[in-house]
Amino acid sequence: MHALTLISFLFFTGLVALITWLITRRDDLRSTRGYFLAGRSLTFPLIAGSLLMTNLSTEQMVGLNGAAFTDGLSVMAWEVVAVVALVLLALFFLPRFLRSGIATVPQLLEIRFDHGTQLICNIIFLIAYAVILLPIVLYSGAIGLQGMLDLPGLTGIESSSFLLWATVWIVGLIGAVYALFGGLRTVAVSDTLNGVGLLIGGLLIVFFALNAVSDGGGILAGWDILNEQHPEMFNSMGREDQAVPFATLFTGVFLINLFYWTTNQQIIQRTFAAKTLAEGQKGVLLTGFFKLLGPLYLVLPGIIAYHMYADQGVQADEAYGHLVFDILPPYLTGFFAAVMVGAILSSFNSALNSTTTLFSLGIYKGVIKKDATEAQVVKSGKIFGWIMAIAAMVIAPLLAGQESLFSYLQTMNAIYFIPILAVVLVGLLTKRVPAIAAKIGLVAGCLLIAAGYFIPPFNKILDVTSQYHFVAGVFVLLIAIMLIIGKVCPRETKWVHQDAGEVDLTPWKGAWPVGLVLVLCVIAIYAAFAG
């Protein structure tokens, strides 16, 4: 381990922490509005930076490049299709969210349906974040860091199990401090700083890696070598035997992306904190532009790693860490490892901040202590946040041995993504569907998908159809059930979506033209690599 690598790692990590503290040290962290919603003060650069970095953690950098190591360019669906979802967030969902003046998605369901629906959605989110999201962020981060920093060589610890536990706990504790002592604005500022570093670092890896493929002959020569030797890896149309068959882009893959970017509390909480609707729309669409670049730094390195390591027995999810360690000079290895720690912290502390928001406003204030003061609500969030952080640090090392981290993440996410998305859409698009329909949709949806995944004989359905077609089928079924209930026993009165008056709802004039351009770019990227 080169001393320069360690020095640059510590320097960049410390610099981000210092700048974040200087910018946010006078923030209001005593009120729920200040702690959970950054005082509704976020402008579009902070929204875009925070959205990007919350998404771009190591389950993306390590997991998606690992998926590309196996299946090639077709896995770019998780990046490119996300652009369409972001356009829908900017044009359809965000104006309605901000009109409601909400801090959490379950609060929207309370406004539209009733308190019981909000409570069920809150519980689903909290269980999913504790068991699925938070542990995967920590585990993937630990695996990535071990490869990039050569932690066995640096520490002299030969036990991979002990090293995994130690890395998970160190990163988890740092992330918890960021999220629980700093509030949402601290998360957003540190995310934006790390986001700049991650984009620079990700593009540098592509530059050095392509140069390594051509043995110093330049990046264009490296690109030509990859295309000549592995043309099958550059087909945007996924085959049926691959993780993302092309047809699934129009069913489950699209729906999972749509939930992730429009209804996932961890992601969209920073859009709830937008200063105005126009600022929120600009931030969301700027994120869409950056996602178009995603295949360059989230998929291409995986293909390069396949070219370099396919015959060396390297596991798919270990490939990215090996590539970074092998091709970057020591001072840049430390810088990029620091950025990756920032990415891990970003996703972890964003999920933790969202978890505390869901618990404090939905469970503590809504059920446990309805007359709680602002200070008591914030304090309850910090206490619950530490409980969730410790639970995630215990569960994370137990994920060791998954064949594909990214596939596992998408599979597990669908269990709660699909039902919540179905209920939110029905809630926003109808006026008479009653609360009982939403409750049935939430509970039945989670049970149906879990049964189709894990419980015989129901799981036999995955032998005859893709899991993504299956979850799309459940989505359609849930919507049909809720609409039928709405016809048979509708609400007594039509629901009217009131303006809470929290923010200026004047839309950005460029939202529709920019959204259209982004969708056309998605189509062009797929057409360019269609094989």
Side-chain angles (χ1 to χ4, degrees), residues 19-69:
I19 295 173
T20 301
W21 177 77
L22 289 172
I23 292 174
T24 64
R25 68 187 188 278
R26 293 190 177 91
D27 284 1
D28 167 25
L29 300 178
R30 296 183 179 182
S31 70
T32 55
R33 180 186 171 101
Y35 186 78
F36 297 121
L37 285 177
R40 295 194 188 275
S41 64
L42 296 188
T43 53
F44 79 91
L46 286 176
I47 292 170
S50 191
L51 278 172
L52 192 68
M53 281 300 289
T54 300
N55 170 241
L56 288 182
S57 185
T58 39
E59 76 268 16
Q60 296 285 120
M61 301 293 285
V62 174
L64 195 52
N65 276 300
F69 183 91

Side-chain angles (χ1 to χ4, degrees), residues 36 51 75-76 177 194 256 346 351 401 454-455 459 477 484 525:
F36 297 121
L51 278 172
V75 301
M76 75 175 184
V177 169
N194 280 307
I256 290 171
S346 169
F454 305 117
I455 301 175
N459 59 357
L477 177 63
I484 290 169
I525 289 172

Side-chain angles (χ1 to χ4, degrees), residues 186-202:
T186 300
V187 172
V189 171
S190 62
D191 285 356
T192 304
L193 295 172
N194 280 307
V196 173
L198 188 70
L199 285 172
I200 293 171

Side-chain angles (χ1 to χ4, degrees), residues 448-471:
L448 279 172
I449 296 174
Y453 281 169
F454 305 117
I455 301 175
F458 305 108
N459 59 357
K460 297 295 183 184
I461 193 170
L462 297 183
D463 295 337
V464 295
T465 187
S466 161
Q467 71 179 60
Y468 299 122
H469 291 328
F470 163 64
V471 299

Side-chain angles (χ1 to χ4, degrees), residues 34 50 82 97-98 102 112 159 174 223 314 331 357 360 375 389 434 445 456 486 490 500 517:
S50 191
F97 291 155
L98 294 181
I102 55 175
R112 171 60 181 86
S159 170
I174 295 172
W223 174 260
V314 173
Y331 59 93
T357 308
S360 299
V517 169

